[in-house]
Amino acid sequence: MTSGLKALTARGRSFLASGVAALLCAFLLGEHDLLRIGVLIISLPLLAAMVVSRTRYRLSCARRLDPPRVQAGSEATVTLRLENVTRLPTGLLMIEDTVPYALGARPRFVLDRVEAHGVREIDYRVRSDLRGRFAIGPLTVRISDPFGLVELTRSFTISDTLVVTPQVTPLPRVRLSGELAGGGESRTRSVAAAGDDDVAPREYRQGDDLRRVHWRSTARYGELMVRREEQQWQSRGALLLDTRRYAHRGEGPRSSFEVAVSAAASIGVHLAHEGLGLRLVTDQGAERLPETGLSLSLLDALAVVRTGATRSLEYGLAALRQGGGDGLVVAVLGEVDLEQARALARLRHGNMTAVAVMLDVAGWEQPDLGGGEDYQTAQGVLAGAGWRIVRLPAGASIASVWPDAAQRGRFALSGGGS
């Protein structure tokens, strides 16, 4: 009863106050009819509070996201499944799901009655132009009497996560040098050897030939072990994303940083589909990605990447050097000065294929301008060191400029190597 009184709505409190006022006036004026009216007005919210507080609905809730991972700007459907698990029908139910502001307004629904063991399914859509991981839930159910005098609120504990990934643009296939082509295909394979000539067994990995299972070691270690009889050649590469705050311009989904993230996602997914084992590196260091489901794990990592306060690429370059064994490096860069361009130029060595996707960030500040002297100088330094330059101006799509990755030294300054 106490919880019911605390759950009185504004209407219920108004009825109660009006009833008390009527009783006081009835005693002062000696009006018996006014006394009956006061008792009636007071009894209504009290009876409603007693009925609602004694209500023992048992509801179960499930939520389904379709799909659980969407690109920025796309919609996902949320399905709520509410089941009455008791033998009593429910009264009026008001349902509200909790969603972040970025996904839109909170959805609210009214269920007039759910029969015993009945099920109701409710669908609504969410959409976000911003990347990120968004928690949806918990669900809140409000139980009210027919007069709207009392309202009790109950919340479920479960919540689900919607991942909004960067926009991915399909890219044309570009043959990069430093690749191994087999069987007449131009499938991307960077020349990076992983591992030495091993004769010791190792743990089984998905995709290993079962004929190479080493049964004696399997029995010894209690898990599947396979023989490492020969050197394995593995396609490997690295993707460097420039997340320095000062290196980008603009705000919101159309900023140069969001374009850079989308370009990195498009390139990473494209290379992963071409069979390349990829590492993701930012100017803050290397990101850990599982070997299985590379495309999805890459998109999940890029969904939550944010700009940092560092002004140098030294941590990212150090992470690239420590990893080693990369036959292909793709760097998606914001504003780069001459010193940073020289540090990037020294990163390339031997037969490594290095591609620099350089955003003309000046175009995000002043669309009519772009390609300043520092921008051209950085391009020349990288091109002179053998980097392939892909210029990405404001308003252009990464798919339209990606074929430039096949042309080595195109933007080299006069006198630079190519």
Side-chain angles (χ1 to χ4, degrees):
M1 188 63 183
T2 303
S3 61
L5 291 176
K6 292 180 179 179
L8 284 172
T9 62
R11 181 184 300 178
R13 294 188 182 96
S14 298
F15 266 69
L16 199 59
S18 300
V20 172
L23 288 179
L24 292 176
C25 292
F27 284 120
L28 292 175
L29 301 176
E31 292 288 340
H32 295 287
D33 292 337
L34 188 58
L35 179 63
R36 296 188 186 97
I37 294 174
V39 172
L40 176 62
I41 295 177
I42 290 177
S43 63
L44 280 176
L46 294 180
L47 288 173
M50 182 178 64
V51 172
V52 172
S53 62
R54 288 179 175 271
T55 301
R56 291 295 181 265
Y57 298 143
R58 291 183 59 194
L59 304 174
S60 67
C61 173
R63 184 185 295 101
R64 183 176 68 253
L65 304 180
D66 184 27
R69 184 184 287 103
V70 296
Q71 294 186 24
S74 301
E75 289 187 341
T77 301
V78 182
T79 302
L80 296 173
R81 187 178 188 274
L82 203 65
E83 181 180 1
N84 180 14
V85 297
T86 63
R87 298 180 180 179
L88 298 176
T90 69
L92 186 66
L93 300 178
M94 290 174 285
I95 300 172
E96 180 179 351
D97 208 4
T98 304
V99 298
Y101 176 77
L103 299 182
R106 289 189 174 187
R108 296 181 175 90
F109 308 95
V110 176
L111 297 180
D112 187 17
R113 182 178 181 275
V114 181
E115 66 277 6
H117 300 289
V119 177
R120 296 288 187 275
E121 287 194 354
I122 304 171
D123 295 338
Y124 66 91
R125 294 180 177 274
V126 292
R127 180 181 182 275
S128 175
D129 293 326
L130 303 176
R131 299 175 293 106
R133 297 173 62 90
F134 301 99
I136 299 179
L139 182 72
T140 300
V141 178
R142 297 177 182 176
I143 305 171
S144 177
D145 67 288
F147 302 104
L149 302 176
V150 179
E151 185 178 275
L152 285 178
T153 302
R154 297 290 183 265
S155 296
F156 293 91
T157 58
I158 62 170
S159 62
D160 296 272
T161 301
L162 176 68
V163 180
V164 181
T165 64
Q167 291 185 351
V168 176
T169 303
L171 301 181
R173 177 173 290 184
V174 173
R175 181 173 176 80
L176 304 175
S177 65
E179 301 166 356
L180 290 177
E185 295 183 302
S186 60
R187 189 173 180 81
T188 304
R189 294 176 180 266
S190 61
V191 186
D196 302 321
D197 290 327
D198 296 305
V199 295
R202 61 166 174 82
E203 67 276 6
Y204 174 82
R205 298 173 184 169
Q206 186 176 3
D208 285 338
D209 190 348
L210 291 177
R211 291 175 296 182
R212 294 175 53 202
V213 173
H214 194 269
W215 296 109
R216 182 178 299 177
S217 299
T218 299
R220 177 181 177 184
Y221 292 103
E223 59 178 340
L224 277 178
M225 306 292 290
V226 296
R227 295 188 301 270
R228 294 195 287 192
E229 298 174 344
E230 65 218 6
Q231 189 177 38
Q232 299 266 326
W233 290 88
Q234 180 186 11
S235 301
R236 293 184 57 187
L239 178 62
L240 173 64
L241 174 62
D242 186 357
T243 62
R244 297 170 300 153
R245 185 179 299 114
Y246 98 102
H248 293 279
R249 303 291 184 273
E251 298 290 340
R254 297 184 179 180
S255 65
S256 65
F257 177 67
E258 292 299 325
V259 172
V261 174
S262 178
S266 302
I267 296 171
V269 171
H270 174 74
L271 295 179
H273 289 170
E274 291 291 317
L276 190 75
L278 206 61
R279 294 192 299 137
L280 176 62
V281 179
T282 69
D283 52 88
Q284 302 173 25
E287 300 283 341
R288 292 186 177 274
L289 300 178
E291 295 182 1
T292 58
L294 177 60
S295 296
L296 296 181
S297 58
L298 174 65
L299 291 177
D300 287 346
L302 292 176
V304 295
V305 69
R306 296 291 182 264
T307 56
T310 57
R311 301 180 65 88
S312 173
L313 292 171
E314 58 178 330
Y315 292 113
L317 298 181
L320 288 175
R321 295 190 188 96
Q322 291 173 1
D326 297 318
L328 172 67
V329 173
V330 179
V332 182
L333 304 171
E335 187 176 55
V336 179
D337 58 26
L338 184 59
E339 180 180 354
Q340 293 158 358
R342 288 170 177 167
L344 280 166
R346 291 192 295 268
L347 181 68
R348 183 184 177 277
H349 58 83
N351 293 325
M352 174 190 290
T353 300
V355 179
V357 180
M358 304 187 69
L359 276 72
D360 189 359
V361 295
W364 271 266
E365 283 187 326
Q366 301 179 11
D368 296 334
L369 300 177
E373 182 178 352
D374 292 342
Y375 182 72
Q376 299 291 343
T377 302
Q379 286 185 2
V381 170
L382 292 176
W387 283 69
R388 303 181 181 190
I389 308 300
V390 178
R391 181 175 177 269
L392 182 57
S397 170
I398 181 63
S400 63
V401 298
W402 180 243
D404 291 343
Q407 304 182 34
R408 180 179 176 183
R410 176 181 175 183
F411 290 97
L413 295 179
S414 58
S418 61

